[in-house]
Amino acid sequence: MSPELVAVSFALLSAISWGAGDFSGGVASRRLNPYLIALLVHATGLLLFTWLALLRGEAFQAQDVPWSVGAGLAGCVGLVFLYRAFEAGQMGLAAPIAGVVGAGLAALVGLALEGFPAPLQLLGFGVGLLGVWLAARPQGGYGPSRGLSYAFLAGLGFGGYFALIHQVEGLFWPSAIAKLTATTLMLGLVGWLGLLRREAGLSTNLGLVGLAGLLDALGNVLFLVAAQAGRLDVAAVISSLYPAFTALLAWGLLREHLSRSQTLGVLFSLAAIALIASG
């Protein structure tokens, strides 16, 4: 299997995992404070990555630390603002905006570092970004939204994470350091706001939040493998197709109706995967 096909395969699995994680986190964000959800999601990833690094006996590489810390900060910003956008009741708009902005930023960085991809891959990028937008477009149109600024900031955070974590050479230790950075930041914020003392319904929603944390962590690892195997822009654009899988889960599990634009978005996403893989 060629490196590019490996990158596409793992990036697609990352998109599926992130899409399922956002579905779980999105449901939880309607019941709990988004800062608390972000803390628990990052803490779950920290425990998982540390355990995997020790289990695998992975060597710790000091040169990965600055990139991992930066990626952790960027990822923390992205996840917090995504959940803030979800809390504002704009899940349908937040997911595609964050996906497009994050993939676009990472693609620009990839072009600067690695040059232009093959023509079919470049076409796939455009089709994929359109699919991301359509897959989670609300049925009533675009319209104004107080969560749009949160979604845009989330996309910048995710794009920064893509670009920074791509620079590391390790796998589990860099991911653990990134999650440690994010967990420390969120723990300080949650402690300062006193959310742990007054949050109602925490115990009844721990399973949902824990699932979101595991899926987010799995998506991070799969993306890192994809980015290390191939081009950053390929991995970022394919991974950012996660809103299509969030929409499909909502349709399959919650019986939410898929609008015409959402159906087109899923089809465009599938076409983008084929185009990028063929390049």
Side-chain angles (χ1 to χ4, degrees):
M1 187 179 294
S2 68
E4 284 301 320
L5 191 55
V6 171
V8 170
S9 300
F10 277 96
L12 179 58
L13 292 174
S14 175
I16 294 173
S17 185
W18 273 336
D22 279 352
F23 175 78
S24 301
V27 174
S29 69
R30 305 293 177 82
R31 307 173 184 177
L32 298 172
N33 186 284
Y35 295 137
L36 184 58
I37 296 174
L39 167 62
L40 296 175
V41 166
H42 289 309
T44 301
L46 170 61
L47 294 175
L48 179 64
F49 289 140
T50 301
W51 177 71
L52 289 173
L54 294 173
L55 183 66
R56 187 188 183 197
E58 181 178 303
F60 183 84
Q61 304 185 56
Q63 68 269 23
D64 286 346
V65 172
W67 299 111
S68 301
V69 171
L73 291 173
C76 182
V77 169
L79 196 61
V80 165
F81 280 115
L82 183 67
Y83 287 152
R84 286 296 303 271
F86 285 172
E87 183 193 30
Q90 304 295 332
M91 190 181 298
L93 278 174
I97 290 175
V100 168
V101 172
L105 178 59
L108 289 175
V109 174
L111 291 177
L113 295 177
E114 302 165 334
F116 278 88
L120 281 179
Q121 289 181 321
L122 199 58
L123 176 61
F125 292 169
V127 173
L129 294 178
L130 179 59
V132 168
W133 183 270
L134 290 173
R137 182 185 175 186
Q139 297 183 35
Y142 295 96
S145 166
R146 68 186 179 95
L148 293 184
S149 58
Y150 292 147
F152 182 80
L153 291 172
L156 292 180
F158 293 146
Y161 172 83
F162 290 151
L164 290 167
I165 203 66
H166 177 61
Q167 305 301 319
V168 305
E169 297 181 8
L171 183 60
F172 294 124
W173 279 127
S175 299
I177 294 171
K179 288 300 184 184
L180 175 62
T181 303
T183 300
T184 302
L185 182 63
M186 292 311 305
L187 187 60
L189 180 60
V190 166
W192 179 61
L193 294 175
L195 295 176
L196 290 175
R197 294 192 302 270
R198 66 171 186 263
E199 188 70 21
L202 177 58
S203 59
T204 58
N205 290 285
L206 276 179
L208 192 62
V209 177
L211 178 61
L214 290 174
L215 291 169
D216 174 75
L218 178 60
N220 289 344
V221 170
L222 291 169
F223 169 78
L224 185 52
V225 172
Q228 291 178 346
R231 292 176 57 97
L232 170 62
D233 44 14
V234 169
V237 172
I238 292 292
S239 296
S240 295
L241 297 178
Y242 63 84
F245 297 103
T246 303
L248 285 174
L249 282 172
W251 169 74
L253 298 180
L254 301 181
R255 303 303 180 191
E256 290 187 2
H257 174 69
L258 280 180
S259 67
R260 180 178 299 177
S261 68
Q262 288 175 320
T263 303
L264 285 174
V266 173
L267 294 176
F268 271 107
S269 299
L270 295 174
I273 295 169
L275 286 169
I276 294 173
S278 66

